[in-house]
Structures are given as C-alpha cells and as structure tokens.
Amino acid sequence: MAKALDGVRILDFTHVQSGPTCTQLLAWFGADVIKVERAGEGDITRGQLRDIPDVDSLYFTMLNHNKRSITIDAKNPKGKEVLEKLVRQCDVLVENFAPGALDRMGFTWERIQELNPKMIVASIKGFGPGPYQDCKVYENVAQCAGGAASTTGFDDGPPLVTGAQIGDSGTGLHLALGIVCALYQRKATGRGQKVDAAMQDGVLNLCRVKLRDQQRLDRTHVLEEYPQYPNGHFGEAVPRAGNASGGGQPGWILKCKGWENDPNAYIYFITQAPVWKEICKVIGREEWLTDPRYATPKARLPHLSEIFDEIEKWTMTKTKFEAMEILNEYDIPCGPILSMKEIAEEPSLRRTGTVVEVDHPKRGKYLTVGNPIKLSDSPTEVKRSPLLGEHTNEVMKELGYTAEQIESLRAERVI
C-alpha cells in the first residue's frame, strides 16, 4: 500500500531532538528522508547517554527511524557540490542549526531558490524575531520562556519543567504540520517557501489555557478553579496550580492502595458535574447531594480540597486499576498514573503500534515510540535508525556518481 508522503524527498540537516522529531514523523508517513551527517561523528546524539559502548544511543535511534544516512564534509568544495545536487533533487530542506549557520554554509534562501525554486526550507529556532532571536535554546529553556514552567508545580515551590518534551518534540510536530501545508500549497503555486517554527512559540501554543487564565485573572483578580481559592492569595500572574486542571472540570491526583511503597500508586480523579450523583454514591457520601455546600458545581469550588480528601479515603482502599474499573462503570473520568515500566509492558500499546520493538544490527532489540498518528490508508512501519553513513553510496549513485567517483570522494574524505 502506498504511503501518504510517497515521492516526497526530504534533505535532513537536523540534529539532537526537535528537528529529528519532525523528519522522523515525515519518514513514518513515507517520505524519503536523507539525513546528512558529518563523517566520523554524525549526529551528536549517536554518542550521548550511551548504555552500550560504541553503539548508537537510544537517544539517537528513537529519533531517526525510517531515514537514510549519508556523510558529507560540507566545508569541502566537492562536498558542497554534492549538497547542491541534493538541493536540486529534494522537495524539502529541514534544519535546526544555530541562527545563521545555514547561511554560513553558503545555503542562503536566495541560493537555495536559484538551485530549486520549488524547495521548501523548514527551520526550527529557539525564538522568533525579537530580542532573543539569536539565542541558543534547549528543551528546558523553551519550557521556561514559553510559559510552561511558571505555571507548573505547587504554589509553595519553585517553577518546574515537565518530563514531556514539549519544547523539542512539540515544536518538531508543529514544523511537520507546516511542511505538509507548504507541500499542499505548492501544488497550486508551484513555488517553495520558508516554514519557521520557534520553540518558544510551540510551547506557548501548548500552554494557551494559561494565557486564557491570565486574561481572566486580569479581569476578575481570582481564579475559582485553582487551589488558591478561596483562602489563598492571587498575584498579578497565573499561579502554579499543582495537579488542578485549571479548567471547568476540577481534578486532582489521589493516593491509591499501596502508595506507601509505590511512587505511582495514584489516580487522577475528576469531579465532573454530570456524574456528581454517581461520585457521591460510589464513595458513600450521598448526603452531599442535598447539602447546599456541595449540591452545585459553583458551591463546590470553595470546598474542593475537602472533597478530594474524602474521595481519597475511598481511593486508598483500592489499587489504581481497581478504582479505575469501578469508576468507569459510572462514566466518572479518571486515569491511573502509569510508570514508564507499565507503559513499556502494556500489551494494547504494542498492538496499536504506539510502542514498537525494533531490531538493530548492533544494539539488538529495543523499544521505541511508534507513530502517534494513525492513517487507515497509510499504516506506519517503524524501521530501525541508520548506521552512520550507511546509505552514502546508495544516495551518491542516485545523484549520478559512478563507483569510481564515489571511491575517489571517499579517499579525499569528502564523504
């Protein structure tokens, strides 16, 4: 069966996480992604956080599936000639270099347009135009600058970053959407264009509900859904809300049976208004249904802390899975706190391809995250990441180089 992006060729100048996330997603959908790496070294993540000596790290392998790897010395004039041929034959160039790096390589937007007017150039940077546009950015910096850290954690503690890679992988996902849109628009215009995604912008997009709450706070000076209400203090900025959703469905993380020894024996419990009657019945507090302090969602807001304390007395008598099974019978929204070990061992995630086992010639079998987006007519097959320069000869032949020319370039350390 044909893939959604069959026939699309991507020139991949990305490294570390944000860019490779984008190009891996495109590769999963069938694009031919040619990853350009420095000879002898390659993507820096090949050697970072290694768990097996002299073998590509999981950091690299889990971000570079379904790609082809070639090595080129871009500083060598002959290497630059190879890259120019690739630009002419590819549809998209993706990069997440430091600001100005692509220009210094001689591949300005104007030069790329001369070589291939249909080329789409997609870039990830830390910041968009402004005072910080030349700054280097990593995951946690993006989370801090994008508003996530200031609103994460508890009110009596410092800002916190999240374990979800919303700066790197989140921006890579945003860029992939931009690329697909540009490819679609090119069908009508015949022209390439620039696609930019800033990590600060990507994080903020994922934190839009907090920008919503900032405006509500400016107007009303209080956020009734937050744990600071009614006895806490609200300042000028959106506070950290602990495990509260901050939305119209009050929720909190509650202890379950075994929490004393299991750091993940918890469940997220939402006191959704339509099932309030069922919640009271399940936990044995049916008198709350007629108590004016608890009878309506508005009345319950000042009492959320004590309500969750009572619910927790019930959840502590059940494992998180027992509690979830009972609560789901009544359509009460909840979710267990799953550890990475539990996720890795969950059979249903294997069946859907969300978690995939891949075989690597040097590493052996390992688990990776599969494509989170499922297309019925374009199923994803997760293939292992390439060895450094594994496809250099193959791609060079596709560019028209003879075997003798390839060996000569290799002898000169161009490839």
Side-chain angles (χ1 to χ4, degrees):
M1 184 178 292
K3 304 294 184 183
L5 295 180
D6 272 353
V8 175
R9 180 171 280 189
I10 310 290
L11 184 55
D12 184 357
F13 275 115
T14 70
H15 60 290
V16 191
Q17 184 178 168
S18 61
T21 297
C22 169
T23 52
Q24 177 174 257
L25 190 63
L26 300 173
W28 278 340
F29 285 126
D32 177 16
V33 176
I34 301 172
K35 185 177 180 73
V36 178
E37 302 187 72
R38 187 181 303 174
E41 299 179 29
D43 189 320
I44 191 173
T45 58
R46 285 185 182 271
Q48 287 185 336
L49 305 177
R50 274 183 171 146
D51 57 318
I52 303 175
D54 302 320
V55 173
D56 288 339
S57 71
L58 287 167
Y59 194 7
F60 176 84
T61 60
M62 293 176 71
L63 286 162
N64 291 281
H65 294 104
N66 295 56
K67 302 179 184 180
R68 297 196 287 171
S69 169
I70 65 171
T71 53
I72 299 176
D73 180 1
K75 295 180 180 179
N76 188 302
K78 292 183 179 179
K80 190 174 179 181
E81 287 179 13
V82 176
L83 291 178
E84 288 186 346
K85 287 188 177 184
L86 282 167
V87 169
R88 289 189 179 98
Q89 295 192 19
C90 289
D91 299 285
V92 185
L93 185 156
V94 188
E95 61 92 13
N96 63 324
F97 291 131
L102 199 61
D103 291 352
R104 291 192 293 273
M105 289 172 60
F107 290 98
T108 62
W109 169 248
E110 291 75 19
R111 178 56 180 155
I112 291 171
Q113 286 288 286
E114 290 176 8
L115 294 168
N116 183 356
K118 292 186 176 182
M119 171 68 79
I120 293 162
V121 178
S123 302
I124 289 178
K125 295 292 179 279
F127 295 95
Y132 308 117
Q133 64 187 32
D134 294 327
C135 295
K136 185 181 290 187
V137 174
Y138 289 92
E139 171 65 43
N140 290 350
V141 175
Q143 289 193 29
C144 293
S150 70
T151 55
T152 303
F154 289 87
D155 197 34
D156 58 353
L160 289 177
V161 296
T162 174
Q165 304 293 284
I166 60 176
D168 276 324
S169 288
T171 308
L173 292 170
H174 282 94
L175 188 69
L177 174 60
I179 290 169
V180 171
C181 289
L183 286 167
Y184 185 81
Q185 188 172 20
R186 192 177 70 177
K187 290 179 178 291
T189 67
R191 299 195 309 270
Q193 61 180 295
K194 291 190 286 186
V195 181
D196 295 318
M199 292 173 69
Q200 181 187 41
D201 299 358
V203 171
L204 179 57
N205 185 44
L206 299 175
C207 293
R208 65 179 62 191
V209 296
K210 298 302 182 180
L211 184 59
R212 171 203 68 190
D213 289 349
Q214 182 62 54
Q215 294 170 86
R216 294 172 58 228
L217 182 64
D218 290 342
R219 187 178 298 277
T220 64
H221 310 294
V222 67
L223 296 170
E224 294 182 348
E225 301 84 3
Y226 278 56
Q228 289 81 359
Y229 178 79
N231 301 315
H233 170 73
F234 286 92
E236 293 183 346
V238 173
R240 292 182 273 285
N243 291 315
S245 69
Q249 309 294 339
W252 202 254
I253 291 179
L254 305 177
K255 297 173 183 174
C256 290
K257 189 175 182 179
W259 68 272
E260 299 93 340
N261 301 311
D262 181 356
N264 295 299
Y266 290 81
I267 193 169
Y268 197 89
F269 192 109
I270 297 176
T271 56
Q272 188 181 34
V275 290
W276 177 245
K277 179 180 179 180
E278 286 74 14
I279 292 172
C280 295
K281 179 181 178 180
V282 167
I283 68 170
R285 297 305 299 264
E286 291 177 273
E287 70 274 13
W288 281 356
L289 295 173
T290 55
D291 189 322
R293 295 174 298 172
Y294 309 113
T296 67
K298 181 76 171 178
R300 289 193 288 273
L301 288 176
H303 305 289
L304 286 177
S305 179
E306 56 202 77
I307 288 171
F308 283 121
D309 285 346
E310 286 298 312
I311 296 173
E312 189 173 58
K313 291 177 182 177
W314 178 84
T315 60
M316 288 173 66
T317 67
K318 308 286 187 294
T319 69
K320 59 189 178 185
F321 298 112
E322 291 170 342
M324 187 176 180
E325 184 175 357
I326 294 169
L327 296 171
N328 279 332
E329 290 180 13
Y330 297 92
D331 291 326
I332 299 170
C334 62
I337 308 304
L338 295 179
S339 69
M340 280 296 150
K341 180 175 176 59
E342 289 169 320
I343 288 173
E345 296 173 353
E346 172 55 49
S348 65
L349 296 178
R350 302 288 186 96
R351 288 194 295 270
T352 61
T354 300
V355 175
V356 181
E357 186 175 76
V358 179
D359 201 1
H360 188 276
K362 293 188 176 180
R363 164 171 292 281
K365 292 183 178 180
Y366 66 96
L367 290 184
T368 189
V369 175
N371 193 343
I373 304 166
K374 275 70 173 177
L375 299 185
S376 61
D377 281 0
S378 185
T380 298
E381 178 187 357
V382 177
K383 300 176 183 178
R384 68 165 176 86
S385 60
L387 303 177
L388 180 60
E390 180 177 352
H391 303 94
T392 301
N393 284 13
E394 180 178 287
V395 172
M396 294 293 286
K397 288 177 182 177
E398 294 171 2
L399 293 175
Y401 287 87
T402 65
E404 291 75 15
Q405 289 173 320
I406 293 171
E407 287 307 310
S408 175
L409 290 172
R410 180 164 279 110
E412 296 178 56
R413 297 186 177 180
V414 175
I415 58 174

